[in-house]
Amino acid sequence: MRALGAAAGVLSAALLAAPLTAQSAPAKIDYAAERASIGRYQDSDQRLQDVGWQLAQGNAAFCRKVVPSIGLQLQDMASYGAPAIARAALGLSRDFAVQTAARGSPAALAGGFTRNREIARLGGLDPNTVPAGAAMDWQRLVTAHDHVDTVLSRQGSLAVSFADGSQAQAEPVPVCATRFELLGAGDTAVADGARVVIGIDFPAFAYDEPVFAGVVAHELAHNVLGHDAWLDRNGRTRKHVRRTEREADRLMPWLLANAGYDPAAAVTFMKQWGSRHDAGLLMWRKHDGWDERAEFIAGEVPMIADLMAREGRADWATHFRREIDPAGGLVAARKR
Ligand SMILES: [Zn+2]
């Protein structure tokens, strides 16, 4: 469940191009269909952001790198294949609007951050004035999210002005430093150290929430365990990849438990997904077989249950058994 290297850059941001690239005359565009198509994408994104938030926030105490966040996801019309059509379909005059406020996040609790609500300012910046390409420009959305993170780090709160002149404000809480991104196409799930990127066709979107959370937890595990950087330092040999995959599998139930999910849902995920997709791209020989993987995951559950009963949390930073030396290659890297 991890694409290697360069793929991550290509897979950036929401490229919801397919239904929006029509070059025909405006009169022929079915805006209701466009709006419905965008809505379906946003429903899946909401699901991903809700689960991602719960995992990243619930495990913040154990992550080496945390950031202040309000759980707000933006959208930028410039990232669509046909920005003008997307704008018209959503009834916007500007390019930026609310995409999601993650369930239970400060943005959701603050109220006001409703889907498709048009944004005029993020703190001191009007993101609509940042130059963008003609279409499929995902970089400006990244810039806006970076700006939000910077404001939250420096000022401890963010004021957002909407197109109707009203404002909403939210104070952040610490979360594990990972962004969750939904791809408008494809059935892959990848982690690149800073992001978890999942394709809208990934089968687990149809699973029960705690089971779907399993795949998000697996990808988040790669990031919080520093796998991408470790593999860069130590080489992406089959043995190394297999070890990092096994660690990501075994950490899944820990991350689920701290997020308030049943840790055994990670086992269910591997059985439900693995038994049907084990011949696919994600199960090449760098992984163990899905039944073996499910057993490794199940092996973690008793210790997690014990810790949850005694301490109310599953401190994986202390108790999780590593299969790689996390510091491996650091000295060599410094000498280079
Ligand atoms: Zn993986």
Side-chain angles (χ1 to χ4, degrees):
M1 269 176 279
R2 182 170 181 294
L4 301 178
V10 180
L11 298 176
S12 286
L15 301 179
L16 192 62
L20 297 171
T21 46
Q23 298 297 314
S24 49
K28 294 187 175 175
I29 293 165
D30 184 345
Y31 286 105
E34 300 291 352
R35 190 160 50 244
S37 169
I38 293 171
R40 282 192 294 277
Y41 175 82
Q42 292 176 323
D43 288 343
S44 291
D45 202 9
Q46 183 76 53
R47 188 147 215 250
L48 175 60
Q49 301 303 331
D50 287 350
V51 167
W53 176 265
Q54 206 160 314
L55 288 164
Q57 201 253 323
N59 286 280
F62 313 116
C63 282
R64 289 184 64 181
K65 194 174 174 202
V66 297
V67 292
S69 176
I70 60 170
L72 174 65
Q73 187 80 4
L74 307 167
Q75 57 176 324
D76 178 5
M77 297 305 107
S79 68
Y80 286 97
I85 295 173
R87 250 192 318 270
L90 297 181
L92 304 175
S93 54
R94 297 171 177 81
D95 280 339
F96 275 86
V98 173
Q99 172 86 337
T100 62
R103 184 183 58 207
S105 70
L109 299 175
F113 292 98
T114 50
R115 186 188 287 190
N116 297 332
R117 195 167 186 199
E118 191 171 330
I119 289 172
R121 287 191 92 77
L122 299 165
L125 174 75
D126 177 357
N128 303 287
T129 63
V130 177
M136 309 284 264
D137 179 344
W138 53 267
Q139 185 58 50
R140 188 168 71 165
L141 184 58
V142 175
T143 302
H145 283 137
D146 288 347
H147 170 73
V148 167
D149 282 358
T150 303
V151 171
L152 291 173
S153 294
R154 289 184 183 162
Q155 298 173 15
S157 105
L158 176 73
V160 177
S161 302
F162 297 105
D164 61 10
S166 64
Q167 254 200 12
Q169 184 134 358
E171 275 85 51
V173 295
V175 298
C176 300
T178 279
R179 287 182 188 172
F180 300 89
E181 295 180 11
L182 178 69
L183 272 186
D187 59 0
T188 55
V190 304
D192 71 353
R195 301 179 304 152
V196 164
V197 185
I198 300 186
I200 196 166
D201 299 323
F202 196 91
F205 271 105
Y207 300 174
D208 291 341
E209 180 175 320
V211 183
F212 168 62
V215 65
V216 185
H218 175 99
E219 299 305 331
L220 178 61
H222 281 308
N223 286 354
V224 301
L225 295 174
H227 285 164
D228 201 55
W230 187 88
L231 288 168
D232 280 349
R233 295 196 306 269
N234 295 279
R236 294 173 189 273
T237 63
R238 181 174 296 182
K239 187 175 81 175
H240 285 165
V241 170
R242 190 187 283 254
R243 280 185 188 166
T244 56
E245 290 304 330
R246 200 176 289 173
E247 277 199 343
D249 282 345
R250 288 180 39 239
L251 194 67
M252 287 162 73
W254 296 76
L255 299 179
L256 291 180
N258 290 317
Y261 295 114
D262 179 359
V267 182
T268 308
F269 166 78
M270 193 52 73
K271 287 180 175 170
Q272 193 169 342
W273 174 79
S275 62
R276 299 192 55 177
H277 303 279
D278 64 345
L281 169 73
L282 307 172
M283 294 294 293
W284 10 313
R285 281 184 296 274
K286 287 178 177 177
H287 291 285
D288 300 307
W290 69 266
D291 44 354
E292 213 178 347
R293 298 176 74 179
E295 277 175 33
F296 282 126
I297 297 168
E300 301 293 315
V301 173
M303 191 198 288
I304 295 166
D306 182 50
L307 286 166
M308 291 301 289
R310 284 192 290 121
E311 301 174 10
R313 52 189 223 157
D315 179 355
W316 47 265
T318 305
H319 299 292
F320 181 72
R321 178 178 55 80
R322 299 297 302 254
E323 308 207 14
I324 59 168
D325 172 10
L330 277 178
V331 174
R334 256 184 248 122
K335 278 180 184 161
R336 273 203 291 273

